Amino acid sequence: MTFIFLWMACATKPVMYEMSETVEVPTMAIDRPSGVVEGGVFTDESHGFALPVLEGWVADAGPESGLMRVAMLHVATDTRVEFWVFPGATSEPRVREGCDWLFRSTARDLFGDETVVSTCVPDDPTQRRIFGTVFPRGEVTMQVEIHPPNAALVEGREAGEVVLRSLRW
């Protein structure tokens, strides 16, 4: 009896599907970076702005299809500066989850009459404050955010301002 059971368990089974010679694999879209660094300068290929990668800073390009175009990181202070581009021309900062834009003022000397500076105060006081600069440029709005660490708020903001002021179109 055991022999019959083992013989039936090891018998070949019918194939329930038909095998084909080629298997079609869907192609995955690979999002290219938003720009390149050449000669120490990051250049956004879609929006045409440029930023020198200053000494002590590292550039991290966002995806070509993304709104965040590049983030610059200052190694010494751990300050992050993000350059965002949104469709439409406005001077209002975009909503950020977890913080409120509480302070707003014009800053004509930076990028023209419609430039607004703002401070985003986090709901959680242990999180970083964000110092934003928003200005329209043609059909888009650029929002530059400086994220200094709480332990180096003044030093980080000053370092971030140097990067902000180096922006060229």
Side-chain angles (χ1 to χ4, degrees):
M1 183 74 163
T2 307
F3 174 73
I4 294 175
F5 177 71
L6 288 175
W7 178 75
M8 292 194 63
C10 294
T12 59
K13 310 286 187 284
V15 177
M16 303 306 272
Y17 57 91
E18 196 171 306
M19 302 269 296
S20 68
E21 291 182 25
T22 61
V23 176
E24 193 171 316
V25 177
T27 57
M28 296 188 63
I30 298 174
D31 209 355
R32 299 173 356 122
S34 62
V36 294
V37 176
E38 288 181 1
V41 176
F42 171 84
T43 303
D44 186 289
E45 295 178 340
S46 298
H47 298 285
F49 68 87
L51 283 167
V53 181
L54 303 173
E55 186 175 339
W57 289 85
V58 177
D60 181 21
E64 182 179 42
S65 63
L67 299 173
M68 203 277 296
R69 308 306 295 169
V70 65
M72 306 288 274
L73 179 66
H74 189 238
V75 178
T77 62
D78 190 32
T79 297
R80 183 176 172 90
V81 181
E82 297 175 352
F83 291 80
W84 296 77
V85 176
F86 300 103
T90 181
S91 293
E92 286 298 310
R94 295 292 174 124
V95 174
R96 284 194 66 95
E97 186 176 333
C99 73
D100 298 312
W101 295 102
L102 298 180
F103 169 81
R104 291 185 185 151
S105 180
T106 57
R108 293 180 188 93
D109 63 321
L110 288 174
F111 300 104
D113 288 344
E114 296 182 55
T115 303
V116 171
V117 292
S118 302
T119 303
C120 201
V121 179
D123 298 336
D124 177 356
T126 64
Q127 297 297 314
R128 295 178 180 212
R129 278 183 167 27
I130 300 170
F131 299 97
T133 301
V134 183
F135 59 94
R137 173 76 177 184
E139 298 298 316
V140 298
T141 297
M142 177 163 271
Q143 180 164 314
V144 182
E145 299 177 351
I146 301 173
H147 302 241
N150 292 338
L153 202 58
V154 174
E155 298 87 348
R157 184 171 180 191
E158 288 174 353
E161 288 284 333
V162 172
V163 172
L164 170 63
R165 291 176 186 275
S166 70
L167 175 67
R168 299 291 175 254
W169 290 89

